Amino acid sequence: MLTDPGPGPGPDAAPAGEDLLRRLAPQVLGALVRRYGHFDAAEDAVQEALLAATRQWPEEGRPANPRGWLIRVASRRLTDQLRSEEARRRREETAVALTPRDEFVAPPPGEGRAPAEDDTLALLFLCCHTDLAPAGRIALTLRAVGGLTTAEIARALLVPEATMAQRISRAKRRIKASGAPFGIRSDGDADAGTGAPDPQVVEDRAERLADVLHVLYLIFNEGYTATSGGDLQRADLATEAIRLTRDVHALLPADGEVSGLLALMLLTDARRAARTAPDGSLIPLAEQDRSRWDHDAITEGVALVSDALTHTALGPYQLRAAIAAVHDEAASDEDTDWVEILALYELLIRLVPGPVERLGHAVAVAMVHGPLRALALLAELDEDERLAGHHRLEAVRAHLLERAGDRAAARASYAKAAGLTLSVPERRYLQFRAARIAEQEERDEQQGPEEPPERTEPVESAE
């Protein structure tokens, strides 16, 4: 049954509808894959259902059960496609055999039935199946569950867009060929005879869990600081990443890294409201109004990471969450305990010596030991191809050069970083920093001797 469409959509109706469709898309895809298999064909059917919704809902009103409506329409598209194939009868019999235990059947028009469970988490684990190469697992999950475009995924993973498109296509074909079961295997399912966990199942799930957490982290990062476009943040993606991570935490509450990732997301997302001005411009961490931070989220995040650090083996997400907690618990920017942050980064780069972690470590070194030592660390990162052409490295370099008093070089690095980023708010912020230095240089020429450089902070996302 459709709701009353009312007087017509207002100026904010389209974005709200897009947000809803983005949130429902992986749930609908999960329901179809659970019932029919045929991952690639199911994804096409879901896309057709989403297009139908964008056409029909503004005119006819949003259904009382949007998820059920999308599942019904997508199921019809998919079954029509399956029936048109040569092996119609065999495929239909297979579809019946794959009907899940909740005996979901696509309801006729007007009825609001839907699967009894949200299949998004099961879809997440399917996309991270060990039959896929690690890079393919991450890319496919970002596409099917996170709703990112191929271009966004390519930029998030620092690879060319064409390479990413091929990677996603290969992953879809591999899923289809593997016949991977839909669902999440628990330790108890492993050995029906003894009830003891099967080591292979435990190892398989641990590997898939590591990729699941990495994917959720990337989805959150894209939501917290969008890699492109006019908005600094995509709250829908960040919120969805937190929701999915809560689901994984409910499944594995004793896993320290799951707790650490959830804590990291909560502690980071707690600053969301204070990160942008009314005009959408970026506000760096040092200048944010901390009274606008979500202190309930901070409290929850601190409790999660404190418990994980106390009772579980140390892991990278716990350390990242601990760093975020130090920032969030400081009453002001001046009160930030950079010595503790540096110590945490030292532990982190021992576990994960990646370029992003080393870049954050360089910022902490600058805040404790001064910019010159940190600039030497950046010189080493210049050799890492994974950061080549990425604006974050140049933004941090500009910040360090400015703190070191080399204004001309800092201005050039800010300008270079602005030219590399596809995020409009980040570009404008970096251009503003470059322009401010130019004004300072002009004043210095007019007034005589140069004054000591003021303390500046890095772009927030480079912490």
Side-chain angles (χ1 to χ4, degrees):
M1 181 172 62
L2 299 177
T3 57
D4 183 356
D12 297 329
E18 291 172 5
D19 290 345
L20 176 64
L21 292 176
R22 179 187 291 274
R23 179 173 59 83
L24 293 178
Q27 300 179 30
V28 177
L29 178 58
L32 263 65
V33 174
R34 172 186 286 275
R35 183 182 181 195
Y36 299 103
H38 305 285
F39 187 99
D40 210 5
E43 188 179 34
D44 291 340
V46 171
Q47 292 302 316
E48 291 186 31
L50 294 175
L51 288 173
T54 60
R55 291 194 301 265
Q56 296 181 34
W57 292 2
E59 297 179 0
E60 301 175 11
R62 182 179 298 173
N65 183 350
R67 178 166 165 257
W69 188 96
L70 289 167
I71 291 173
R72 180 172 69 250
V73 173
S75 295
R76 287 174 175 170
R77 299 288 197 276
L78 182 56
T79 53
D80 286 346
Q81 180 180 344
L82 295 179
R83 289 192 182 102
S84 69
E85 296 178 0
E86 182 179 356
R88 179 185 65 181
R89 183 170 301 175
R90 180 172 57 84
R91 291 182 183 276
E92 287 179 348
E93 291 173 350
T94 301
V96 171
L98 290 175
T99 300
R101 286 173 295 178
D102 63 7
E103 296 183 350
F104 163 64
V105 177
E111 293 189 15
R113 291 188 57 203
E117 57 189 288
D118 179 354
D119 287 313
T120 304
L121 188 59
L123 178 64
L124 189 61
F125 273 78
L126 176 66
C127 291
C128 292
H129 194 275
T130 49
D131 281 352
L132 300 177
R137 299 175 212 169
I138 293 170
L140 184 60
T141 306
L142 286 170
R143 185 75 182 90
V145 183
L148 274 66
T149 66
T150 302
E152 289 168 342
I153 300 169
R155 187 154 183 86
L157 298 181
L158 307 179
V159 299
E161 184 175 347
T163 301
M164 184 55 61
Q166 293 173 358
R167 187 176 295 175
I168 293 171
S169 295
R170 284 196 301 268
K172 289 179 181 178
R173 291 195 298 269
R174 184 61 180 165
I175 281 284
K176 181 178 181 180
S178 71
F182 188 82
I184 304 169
R185 296 176 68 184
S186 67
D187 295 346
D189 327 314
D191 192 327
T194 66
D198 184 331
Q200 184 59 45
V201 171
V202 174
E203 181 180 351
D204 173 81
R205 192 177 67 182
E207 185 176 350
R208 291 172 68 186
L209 177 63
D211 279 337
V212 164
L213 297 183
H214 183 49
V215 166
L216 292 174
Y217 187 38
L218 288 174
I219 295 172
F220 175 81
N221 285 340
E222 178 62 26
Y224 188 69
T225 302
T227 56
S228 62
D231 296 324
L232 179 67
Q233 306 174 98
R234 294 176 60 179
D236 57 339
L237 283 180
T239 300
E240 182 68 6
I242 292 172
R243 184 185 76 84
L244 289 171
T245 306
R246 285 193 186 279
D247 288 345
V248 178
H249 183 258
L251 181 69
L252 302 169
D255 189 289
E257 281 295 82
V258 175
S259 298
L261 179 58
L262 179 56
L264 174 61
M265 290 180 179
L266 292 170
L267 291 164
T268 306
D269 193 60
R271 311 172 198 151
R272 186 201 307 172
R275 294 183 68 225
T276 54
D279 62 358
S281 59
L282 183 153
I283 301 176
L285 180 62
E287 299 172 17
Q288 289 174 16
D289 178 359
R290 300 186 178 216
S291 68
R292 299 187 64 201
W293 288 1
D294 185 342
H295 293 281
D296 289 339
I298 293 172
T299 299
E300 182 182 1
V302 169
L304 280 167
V305 70
S306 298
D307 183 72
L309 289 170
T310 303
H311 298 106
T312 66
L314 187 64
Y317 291 115
Q318 296 169 54
L319 289 169
R320 295 183 182 108
I323 292 169
V326 175
H327 281 292
D328 285 8
E329 291 186 307
S332 66
D333 178 62
E334 292 74 18
D335 293 330
T336 302
D337 189 345
W338 281 101
V339 172
E340 183 178 358
I341 289 174
L342 178 58
L344 291 167
Y345 265 116
E346 295 283 359
L347 291 172
L348 179 60
I349 61 174
R350 292 177 192 172
L351 293 178
V352 187
V356 174
E357 290 76 17
R358 291 162 61 200
L359 191 60
H361 171 253
V363 172
V365 167
M367 302 306 291
V368 176
H369 299 297
L372 295 181
R373 188 182 298 187
L375 283 166
L377 296 176
L378 291 197
E380 298 175 8
L381 282 173
D382 285 332
E383 305 301 320
D384 194 316
E385 294 182 354
R386 290 170 292 181
L387 280 182
H390 200 280
H391 77 281
R392 196 78 66 219
L393 178 60
E394 286 303 319
V396 172
R397 192 193 319 278
H399 154 67
L400 298 180
L401 288 167
E402 187 175 5
R403 292 196 68 222
D406 191 345
R407 287 176 172 169
R411 175 166 47 82
S413 286
Y414 277 129
K416 183 177 180 180
L420 292 172
T421 182
L422 298 179
S423 165
V424 174
E426 285 192 321
R427 182 188 306 129
R428 289 174 177 168
Y429 176 76
L430 293 165
Q431 290 171 338
F432 163 75
R433 296 289 289 263
R436 188 174 68 176
I437 291 176
E439 292 175 359
Q440 291 171 339
E441 291 175 324
E442 184 177 351
R443 285 198 304 269
D444 290 343
E445 290 179 1
Q446 296 173 352
Q447 297 176 1
E450 182 179 289
E451 297 179 359
E454 63 178 297
R455 182 186 179 207
T456 60
E457 298 296 337
V459 177
E460 181 186 355
S461 53
E463 291 166 5

